[in-house]
């Protein structure tokens, strides 16, 4: 598992997550108490026959998750979140009634999947070309926009990632998240943090003027756990005159084709029915705005050529 450290780009300064206010839940690896999941509970995908059949016979699946609300997180010993709700619905229809979880550092999710520590990744992970080279993504489940968490009143008047260009201000982003790439591409002064709570802590400690993350995550934080902050209007980042449309999906090993195909078939039925979609994920702050459009496909997002989505 990768160690989490926080870097101030261009300055050579290294801050530990603890110095920013403590390690977040997704900076460690532990077993969920929901059904006793863990690395030992994962099936032998890729070498022991058809994984879908194995999981159906077993009646359970182990997923890796990073503890980011409202996607997949643990609260009071129970696995919760929109992606967990989607998985319970879909895997249940496939005859896999129990979803168990292994809490894993974000950057270790795909390596852990490919090492057989769990059977799928449940984290609302963005579909990106470098990730597609390592694993197989389902059809898009959630369309993403970005937002900024700022101090109440938004004293710097920040609106989007371009607000930081030549501003002398620092933006906090989450290590491994797409917003870190945006900051790098724009040459911004930025710090990387280990998880959502680390980003909030960096903001409140004055180490950053804003924390950039998906709008749905920041709104959940602001509504449920954080005082003294607000979230800007969501936006689609524009990098080099290309709008960075994106979507999150469930991740599988490349060899587990039967499980992926069966999952996609059930997912397509849900995406085609907005009322059913919202009945599954609506309690976690998701709306019809998060429904991916028909032309936003895994193939396009994996290619990195977003021109057809502009």
């Amino acid at each position: 598992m990768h160690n989490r450290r926080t870097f101030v780009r261009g300055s050579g300064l290294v801050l530990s997550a603890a110095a920013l206010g403590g390690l977040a839940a997704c900076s460690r690896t532990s077993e969920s108490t929901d059904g006793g999941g863990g690395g030992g509970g994962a099936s032998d995908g890729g070498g022991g026959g058809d994984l879908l059949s194995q999981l159906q016979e077993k009646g359970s699946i182990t997923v890796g998750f990073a503890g980011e609300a409202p996607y997949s997180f643990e609260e009071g010993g129970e696995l919760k979140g929109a992606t967990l709700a989607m998985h319970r619905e879909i895997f249940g229809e496939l005859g896999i009634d129990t979803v168990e979880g292994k809490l894993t550092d974000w950057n270790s999710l795909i390596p852990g999947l490919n090492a057989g520590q769990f059977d799928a990744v449940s984290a609302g992970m963005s579909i990106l070309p470098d990730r597609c080279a390592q694993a197989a993504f389902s059809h898009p489940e959630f369309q993403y926009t970005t937002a900024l968490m700022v101090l109440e009143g938004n004293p710097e008047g920040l609106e989007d990632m371009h607000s930081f260009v030549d501003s002398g201000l620092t933006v906090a982003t989450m290590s491994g998240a797409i917003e870190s790439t945006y900051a790098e591409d724009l040459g911004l002064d930025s710090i990387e943090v280990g998880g959502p709570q680390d980003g909030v802590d960096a903001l409140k400690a004055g180490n950053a003027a804003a924390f950039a993350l998906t709008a749905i995550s920041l709104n959940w934080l602001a509504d449920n756990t954080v005082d003294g902050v607000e979230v800007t209007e969501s936006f689609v980042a524009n990098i080099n005159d290309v709008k960075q449309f994106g979507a999150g999906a469930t991740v599988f090993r490349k060899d587990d084709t039967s499980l992926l195909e069966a999952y996609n078939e059930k997912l397509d039925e849900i995406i085609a029915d907005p009322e059913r979609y919202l009945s599954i994920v609506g309690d976690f702050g998701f709306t019809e705005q998060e429904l991916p459009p028909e032309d936003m496909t895994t193939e396009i997002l994996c290619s990195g050529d977003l021109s057809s989505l502009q």
Side-chain angles (χ1 to χ4, degrees), residues 5-246:
R5 294 196 299 173
T6 308
F7 299 89
V8 179
R9 296 189 189 278
S11 69
L13 177 63
V14 180
L15 300 175
S16 70
L20 292 174
L23 289 170
C26 68
S27 64
R28 67 181 186 277
T29 303
S30 68
E31 291 189 0
S32 157
T33 57
D34 184 56
S43 298
D44 180 20
D50 178 67
L51 180 60
L52 175 60
S53 298
Q54 291 179 30
L55 296 174
Q56 288 171 330
E57 182 177 356
K58 182 181 177 183
S60 67
I61 183 171
T62 301
V63 298
F65 71 106
E68 182 184 351
Y71 303 103
S72 298
F73 60 102
E74 194 174 22
E75 186 175 77
E78 180 183 356
L79 281 176
K80 295 183 177 181
T83 56
L84 259 300
M86 186 75 75
H87 289 165
R88 287 179 174 129
E89 179 81 8
I90 293 177
F91 290 128
E93 288 196 355
L94 294 176
I96 306 166
D97 295 328
T98 302
V99 179
E100 302 172 346
K102 183 174 182 180
L103 182 60
T104 303
D105 177 274
W106 178 270
N107 285 337
S108 296
L109 285 170
I110 290 180
L113 172 69
N114 287 331
Q117 295 175 12
F118 31 82
D119 305 305
V121 172
S122 177
M125 184 173 281
S126 293
I127 306 169
L128 300 174
D130 60 336
R131 294 172 180 168
C132 294
Q134 302 172 61
F137 282 76
S138 72
H139 293 167
E141 296 170 333
F142 310 108
Q143 180 177 211
Y144 285 139
T145 55
T146 299
L148 303 175
M149 177 176 282
V150 295
L151 295 177
E152 202 165 37
N154 194 4
E156 301 293 346
L158 301 171
E159 297 180 354
D160 55 26
M161 302 298 285
H162 285 272
S163 298
F164 290 89
V165 176
D166 298 325
S167 69
L169 300 173
T170 298
V171 60
T173 61
M174 194 171 78
S175 177
I178 187 62
E179 290 78 21
S180 291
T181 302
Y182 298 159
E184 183 175 3
D185 290 343
L186 291 171
L188 306 183
D189 292 327
S190 65
I191 57 174
E192 287 190 351
V193 298
Q197 187 56 52
D198 291 333
V200 175
D201 293 342
L203 171 64
K204 289 199 162 188
N207 293 318
F211 176 34
L213 196 63
T214 58
I216 196 74
S217 295
L218 292 181
N219 284 320
W220 176 271
L221 275 172
D223 291 343
N224 291 276
T225 63
V226 182
D227 295 322
V229 300
E230 62 184 65
V231 179
T232 65
E233 291 292 323
S234 63
F235 56 89
V236 175
N238 189 313
I239 308 297
N240 298 323
D241 295 324
V242 178
K243 290 184 178 180
Q244 303 298 301
F245 293 105

